[in-house]
Amino acid sequence: MFSTAFLDLPPLAGAAGTVRLPGSKSISNRVLLLAALASGTTTIHDLLDSDDTRVMLGALRALGCGIEPAGSSLRITGLGGQLPPSLGTTLLPLFLGNAGTAMRPLTAALSLLGGEFELSGVPRMHERPIGDLVDALTQLGCRIDYLGNPGYPPLRIHPVSHDELALGAPIRVRGDVSSQFLTALLLALPLAAANDIVIEVVGELISKPYIEITLNLLARFGITVRRDGWERFTIPAGSRYSSPGEIHVEADASSASYFIALGAIATGVSGQDGIRIEGVGAASIQGDIRFIDAAKQMGALVDSGPNWLEIRRGAWPLKAIDLDANHIPDAAMTLAVMALYADGPSLLRNIASWRVKETDRIDAMANELQKLGATVEAGPDFIRIHPLPVADWLPASIRTYDDHRVAMCFSLAAFNPAGVPVRILEPHCVAKTFPDYFETLFSVAEASEVPVICIDGPTASGKGTLAAEVARLLGYHYLDSGSLYRVTGLAARRAGLEANAANEAQIAALAAALPLQFTEGKVLLAGEDVSDDIRTEAAGMDASRVSALPAVREALQDLQHRFRRLPGLVADGRDMGTVIFPDAALKVFLTAGAAQRAERRHKQLISKGISTTLDSLRSDLEARDARDSSRSVAPLKPAQDARHLDNSQLSIEHSIDTVLNWWQQVQPFKSA
């Protein structure tokens, strides 16, 4: 997951390949609550691991549920519909972040379990309405206080006994604000179903497919709800939750929308065509799978099987769409970005629920689409998007409003025909439902040019520390080119290959396939930390020997090029900007006086218990500078277009800020 302040997406040229999606958030949190309320133990397979599910799991642990990992699955021992005696009447505070799929159902369930609870969340959660659910619960006799603004969390729930509840008359709940209110009641009321309990929906029920998910899962846990259309639901007398033993969570159909759209938008790459999605098929119980129908209307070609989808580009430009999107409220946001590639204005209607989601999504989408250059009209329950001609696309910093779906759907704007980049602010918000979203996107996407920052300089100038930190702050890959010959020498020694001409081809083959990774200041070879192994005197001698073999140098040059992967690369060495990446967008030549470098190296060695003197270190560095500068192959010298940075008197923080400021200057985004 990217935890950076922003993530720059270079212009993406195409995409093809296979993706496997995480489990559905809607199914995951429903299953977790049902397993917690049920008798027995439920093993849950393919559960989504995200912010929302972690919030729910934290609450269930606090309530006394047994939660045990079982390999890649999770085993939950339920409460059997009763709180453990240990909770008694003690106030239990529960923090639920911005997880509506935890706040709403837990409010209903805890109101009927008989304990004393305080439910709170992030500031945005305290702006999301819950009054209609609370009104429905107080009709029954539940005791709930608002701790802030009436109608909104945080809440204080007081215990009541089932004898105090008024369950004879139908419970009325509004259906035109959020389907989560009805879902919450359906999930919780079996706790009190000594007799039939009837729920009546007031107004038009929105997001009906999410209620279908709820009813389907209730049936899996032994509760068969009778319904009369979408207006009246009856929970039968004597209903009891019972564990199904095992249950599999479908992949998230809402998350599938981004890759369905990707298949419709992107041309193929590397001889492949189309996107294959594994983990969910057209027969999914999730309502957002009907996004497929909308994508087909816009021109996508879709094939499907029991647990997979394949999408290819069909009509181009895409066909404009006029759609009542009430049945796919989350996935419809993806259509708003697809509309930029259409042949006319597209209208999404009946989406008033967007305004009470993680953010006001109608305003958010309108604002950010306009940053890209689009003409947008928005109203109380609709948004109309005009397509963008090639010449009108603008590079834009997309504000995400801490809303995962805003971040994910706007990533598709990087496939624009104008070849302009897109910056996603606070990309970590995707952790709510799809922590590895961007990594998954990059696994199938291809850029016409992946950005590179080169930081070259003499030994002990601090280029490795600087480059690694710049890479971390940008979310880019990092290449420590100075370690390559040492790792190659180590690999050759371990393979029993002496570094000579007779073994040149074999060592070159080893070098070409080195499974290297540079992370958190470590050099990993096939996952093994070899940072100390390659810093020995013997490793230095091995490095010198293999570097004399031309085939090895060529293989390592190819290996360095393969580090150039999305979203970008920061590479340090002595010839990154002159030989390896001469087209890099930013080249930095880092220098420092020999005295300062010797002092830094002295402190480093002394801290490791290695005895040395400043004079000897300075002499060694000056001699190495002379050798490196006079090499016949890839000598140490700044690229003609490199920016010089003398850090003799600078802190590492100042050096980092300088390089990041230079990077901003060569980007079309003037600020993060």
Side-chain angles (χ1 to χ4, degrees), residues 316 341 388-390 393 413-420:
W316 194 258
Y341 302 94
L388 262 174
V390 174
W393 281 86
F415 290 87
N416 64 81
V420 298

Side-chain angles (χ1 to χ4, degrees), residues 70-403:
S72 59
S73 303
L74 197 68
R75 189 177 292 119
I76 295 187
T77 301
L79 300 172
Q82 293 184 323
L83 289 175
S86 57
L87 282 182
T89 58
T90 304
L91 174 65
L92 180 64
L94 297 173
F95 178 79
L96 302 177
N98 198 15
T101 56
M103 176 66 78
R104 276 74 178 264
L106 280 172
T107 295
L110 297 178
S111 296
L112 297 171
L113 277 172
E116 187 94 14
F117 305 98
E118 187 173 298
L119 306 187
S120 63
V122 300
R124 174 58 187 170
M125 178 57 80
H126 297 170
E127 297 172 352
R128 299 177 67 179
I130 201 169
D132 293 305
L133 174 60
V134 172
D135 288 347
L137 291 167
T138 54
Q139 289 175 44
L140 307 180
C142 296
R143 296 169 54 216
I144 304 171
D145 295 330
Y146 295 113
L147 301 180
N149 291 329
Y152 300 86
L155 305 174
R156 178 77 172 265
I157 297 172
H158 303 282
V160 294
S161 69
H162 290 176
D163 293 339
E164 299 175 75
L165 299 177
L167 297 169
I171 301 160
R172 295 167 61 82
V173 63
R174 281 183 62 184
D176 57 354
V177 176
S178 173
S179 65
Q180 287 181 3
F181 299 157
L182 176 56
T183 279
L185 292 172
L186 289 168
L187 293 174
L189 284 171
L191 288 167
N195 300 297
D196 283 2
I197 300 178
V198 176
I199 306 170
E200 290 184 349
V201 177
V202 179
E204 175 71 17
L205 178 62
I206 65 173
S207 307
K208 296 180 181 70
Y210 285 103
I211 303 303
E212 292 277 20
I213 294 175
T214 302
L215 298 175
N216 183 294
L217 293 175
L218 279 165
R220 293 290 307 275
F221 281 84
I223 311 292
T224 303
V225 177
R226 302 191 302 270
R227 71 179 177 93
D228 181 7
W230 296 103
E231 295 81 34
R232 187 179 177 92
F233 299 81
T234 302
I235 297 167
S239 292
R240 294 286 185 273
Y241 308 101
S242 60
S243 170
E246 292 189 273
I247 191 166
H248 289 260
V249 176
E250 285 186 356
D252 188 57
S254 302
S255 296
S257 73
Y258 313 114
F259 293 95
I260 294 169
L262 178 57
I265 291 170
T267 56
V269 295
S270 304
Q272 296 185 73
D273 187 25
I275 299 293
R276 181 181 173 92
I277 300 169
E278 295 185 344
V280 67
S284 167
I285 67 170
Q286 300 169 71
D288 272 355
I289 200 64
R290 291 169 64 187
F291 179 86
I292 292 172
D293 298 332
K296 286 180 177 179
Q297 287 183 49
M298 296 190 79
L301 302 176
V302 182
D303 292 321
S304 67
N307 210 32
W308 57 267
L309 300 165
E310 287 184 351
I311 306 93
R312 289 176 293 115
R313 191 195 232 193
W316 194 258
L318 295 175
K319 299 174 184 176
I321 194 169
D322 182 335
L323 183 71
D324 181 332
N326 182 266
H327 60 297
I328 51 169
D330 288 340
M333 296 172 68
T334 312
L335 295 173
V337 177
M338 291 177 71
L340 298 175
Y341 302 94
D343 58 5
S346 292
L347 176 65
L348 303 177
R349 296 177 281 106
N350 202 7
I351 53 171
S353 65
W354 280 23
R355 293 200 180 275
V356 293
K357 296 285 188 174
E358 283 80 346
T359 188
D360 183 330
R361 286 175 169 171
I362 291 181
D363 284 353
M365 294 300 293
N367 292 340
E368 305 313 306
L369 288 165
Q370 287 167 348
K371 287 182 184 178
L372 291 167
T375 298
V376 181
E377 304 157 57
D381 64 349
F382 75 88
I383 188 169
R384 180 182 287 106
I385 306 101
H386 294 257
L388 262 174
V390 174
D392 292 350
W393 281 86
L394 302 173
S397 291
I398 301 298
R399 182 185 170 200
T400 53
Y401 307 85
D402 197 28
D403 188 332

